Amino acid sequence: VLTDLTVAENLDGAVFIETEDYTVSEDGATATVESIAVGESVTLKAEYTIEETDLGREIKNVVTTKLDDPDTPGPNPEGEEEIPVDEYTPALAIDKIRVVTEEYPEGHEFAEGEIITYQVTVTNTGNITLNDVTLTDVMTGVDGVTVLPSNLSEEDGDIGILLPKENAVITYTHEVTEADLGGILHNVATATAYPAVPDPASEAAAAGKASEPLTATDDEDVPTIARDPKLSVEKEVTSKPAAEDGKYALGETVTYKV
């Protein structure tokens, strides 16, 4: 009979699940089997939650045993198990659309003073939490001048943290100006983010540095009405001659309104 057998988990974070066959320490890292009769066996169960820091690397779980009974000295065997985990795949996606409404249907050419509404969805499509997620938008007008949409503030574009598979939807507008008329308003939205955990195979991870940023872009083109400058002139005589025949005499002044 073996008595006072201690089994220890050497994988940080792994904990034993207590059953009637053994007791577990407060931190869950060790289990104690009171006795095992000859020919019998005891099965111990432990669990470990895969963390983002585990992705992309090999996890080895080593279990050690120790007999505390001085009357039964013997070997203290170890058990080792390799745990397969997913690859390290941080990823960022962005989708930008012009919101179509009854007032401004698909293909509508916008006039001065009308409001273009944009909707941008930024999604963490990978398996790593993303920090410092931000959105910027740059608009290029028909004259080639680059400006920001009139209603997108820096605060609006500060998304913050996105968990894996989580997304953020940002809606903002731009009021069409006279300078926007006569062509296409070209918008490029850019999302930037930093993986919370660096790639374990990267030089940054080896040096203890922060992750390299991820970027994703999407654009949208919105047509505006053509520029149609027009000028008209009207001229009329507002004065009257002294003569009843309607003819001006020498020295009289003719007054015009233009």
Side-chain angles (χ1 to χ4, degrees):
V1 177
L2 297 178
T3 60
D4 297 327
L5 173 65
T6 300
V7 182
E9 274 280 8
N10 291 323
L11 177 61
D12 188 26
V15 294
F16 286 102
I17 303 171
E18 188 166 344
T19 71
E20 60 183 12
D21 296 326
Y22 54 89
T23 58
V24 176
S25 63
E26 186 175 346
D27 63 2
T30 59
T32 301
V33 181
E34 187 176 340
S35 65
I36 304 177
V38 177
E40 291 185 349
S41 64
V42 174
T43 300
L44 292 82
K45 294 182 179 180
E47 62 182 12
Y48 175 76
T49 301
I50 301 297
E51 304 287 345
E52 290 185 3
T53 51
D54 296 322
L55 300 178
R57 69 183 184 91
E58 185 181 84
I59 299 177
K60 287 186 177 181
N61 184 10
V62 178
V63 175
T64 60
T65 62
K66 180 181 180 182
L67 282 173
D68 293 331
D69 184 356
D71 296 329
T72 56
N76 297 313
E78 296 182 353
E80 181 179 306
E81 182 74 17
E82 291 188 2
I83 304 173
V85 295
D86 285 340
E87 294 297 318
Y88 173 90
T89 54
L92 181 66
I94 186 172
D95 179 56
K96 177 177 182 178
I97 62 170
R98 196 272 286 181
V99 178
V100 175
T101 64
E102 184 176 347
E103 184 180 7
Y104 303 132
E106 189 72 40
H108 176 76
E109 294 184 347
F110 284 80
E112 182 180 358
E114 292 184 330
I115 305 297
I116 304 170
T117 301
Y118 297 102
Q119 182 175 284
V120 177
T121 302
V122 179
T123 306
N124 179 350
T125 56
N127 59 4
I128 299 293
T129 297
L130 299 178
N131 293 335
D132 300 323
V133 185
T134 57
L135 169 69
T136 57
D137 193 326
V138 174
M139 174 183 292
T140 303
V142 297
D143 54 2
V145 176
T146 298
V147 297
L148 297 178
S150 58
N151 194 32
L152 177 64
S153 67
E154 183 176 338
E155 183 178 352
D156 294 331
D158 186 8
I159 297 170
I161 296 174
L162 285 179
L163 301 177
K165 312 310 176 188
E166 186 180 18
N167 66 47
V169 179
I170 301 95
T171 302
Y172 50 96
T173 61
H174 174 72
E175 182 175 351
V176 177
T177 67
E178 181 180 309
D180 297 330
L181 303 181
I184 298 294
L185 289 177
H186 180 67
N187 280 70
V188 179
T190 302
T192 304
Y194 292 81
V197 178
D199 183 349
S202 68
E203 294 182 1
K209 297 181 179 179
S211 304
E212 292 296 321
L214 303 175
T215 59
T217 61
D218 193 19
D219 59 6
E220 183 74 17
D221 289 337
V222 176
T224 60
I225 63 172
R227 294 178 180 177
D228 187 22
K230 293 181 180 179
L231 182 66
S232 63
V233 176
E234 293 184 1
K235 181 178 181 181
E236 64 176 308
V237 177
T238 58
S239 60
K240 291 184 178 181
E244 293 183 358
D245 61 2
K247 295 181 180 179
Y248 285 87
L250 179 66
E252 284 188 301
T253 300
V254 182
T255 304
Y256 299 96
K257 180 176 72 175
V258 178

